[in-house]
Every structure is written in C-alpha cells, then in structure tokens.
Amino acid sequence: MTILRYDTLLRAKFAGLLAEYFDELEAQLPQDFILERILPMFEIQDQQRIGTIVLALHRGKPMGFAIYQIDSPRSDWCKYPGWGCIREFYIRPEFRHMGFGRRLAAYAESHLRKLGATDVYLTADSAVSFWERCGYSNTHEICSNDLEILTKIL
C-alpha cells in the first residue's frame, strides 16, 4: 500500500472514491453535488492546511482515503479545539479485513501527532468495532451528525 498526500493529479481518483464513500453511506447525493460542492470544499481546506487529504493506493489502484485535521475554529467542523480529528475515512470493500484500514488510520494518527495532537477523535456508525480494534474508546456520546464519538490518546 502506498499513501500519497492529495494533489490535483489525484483528483479523478479521489473523486471516484468520494462518490463510492457517499454511496455507501446512503447519503443520496447527486454526483454533480459531490464534484461541484463537496470535493472543492475538501480541496480548499487541504490547500489552506486546515485539513489533510491522503489517498491509499494498491498497485496504483485507489483503495481508500483519509481526511483529517487538528480541530480549529478555521474549520467548518470543530468539536474539540486542538485535538486531532479523522473527519472522513474510507477503504473500498474489496480491500477491507486485510490490514489496509488499520495502516491508513495509523498513518493519519502519526501525522496528527507530528502536528501536535495528543488526542484524536472521530465519529462512526457501522465501523465502531473497527475503530475500537484500532484502540479507540467509545464515549457513547452522540455528535451533531447523529454518530457516536470515539476517542484515543496518541
């Protein structure tokens, strides 16, 4: 697995993964909305260093992504200022249960630690057990997005 920081050369691969991700979430978002609104929002936050986008590739094929940040009022999503936050995380189904998700999560956590985070949080629904296996604790608190909050000390 290769993990690459997002740049515009990876846009088509990231856009495809993002569309799959929202389909899996059953968000029922039109493709043009994802491409014209959501993708540019994440790109701007990445360019302004508010958040970080990384793509995971297996033999050149896109297999997943992570979007993470240090929570700050500069972001449109800030629950715990100064904490690391894994905002979005996706591994294609055919690459799950092979250790790739755990490696991508560890990469994001390591980068957040380098940026100064000592704690990290995320929200999850069906993937709670995955995150618990990665060392996260379920707070059983429900976030504004109606998902459970999980935390981890880095």
Side-chain angles (χ1 to χ4, degrees):
M1 177 173 82
T2 304
I3 299 172
L4 300 174
R5 182 143 164 66
Y6 179 79
D7 67 36
T8 54
L9 297 175
L10 296 170
R11 190 173 210 264
K13 290 179 180 184
F14 180 53
L17 288 168
L18 206 55
E20 290 175 27
Y21 170 67
F22 283 112
D23 282 348
E24 188 172 311
L25 292 177
E26 298 178 358
Q28 299 178 348
L29 297 174
Q31 183 77 15
D32 60 334
F33 183 81
I34 294 168
L35 293 174
E36 295 170 13
R37 302 286 299 266
I38 295 174
L39 177 60
M41 176 195 70
F42 285 133
E43 287 176 321
I44 289 167
Q45 291 180 354
D46 185 77
Q47 291 164 358
Q48 295 176 350
R49 300 290 194 243
I50 295 169
T52 301
I53 303 168
V54 294
L55 272 67
L57 306 175
H58 181 66
R59 297 184 180 141
K61 180 180 179 182
M63 60 184 289
F65 68 86
I67 301 173
Y68 53 90
Q69 68 185 37
I70 299 292
D71 264 16
S72 159
R74 292 179 58 213
S75 171
D76 64 324
W77 180 271
C78 177
K79 179 142 183 76
Y80 300 122
W83 282 49
C85 173
I86 298 178
R87 284 187 61 163
E88 311 293 340
F89 190 91
Y90 179 70
I91 296 290
R92 281 186 160 153
E94 64 266 29
F95 292 105
R96 293 179 189 165
H97 307 288
M98 301 165 85
F100 295 122
R102 189 179 296 259
R103 288 173 51 199
L104 183 58
Y107 179 92
E109 292 167 357
S110 175
H111 191 223
L112 287 166
R113 192 178 305 108
K114 288 176 187 171
L115 293 173
T118 57
D119 300 280
V120 64
Y121 79 99
L122 53 85
T123 61
D125 53 5
S126 62
V128 168
S129 63
F130 165 76
W131 291 109
E132 288 175 334
R133 287 191 307 276
C134 290
Y136 285 76
S137 298
N138 190 338
T139 66
H140 300 286
E141 180 183 347
I142 303 299
C143 195
S144 60
N145 62 3
D146 293 327
L147 300 177
E148 294 186 74
I149 298 173
L150 290 91
T151 63
K152 182 177 181 178
I153 298 170
L154 295 178

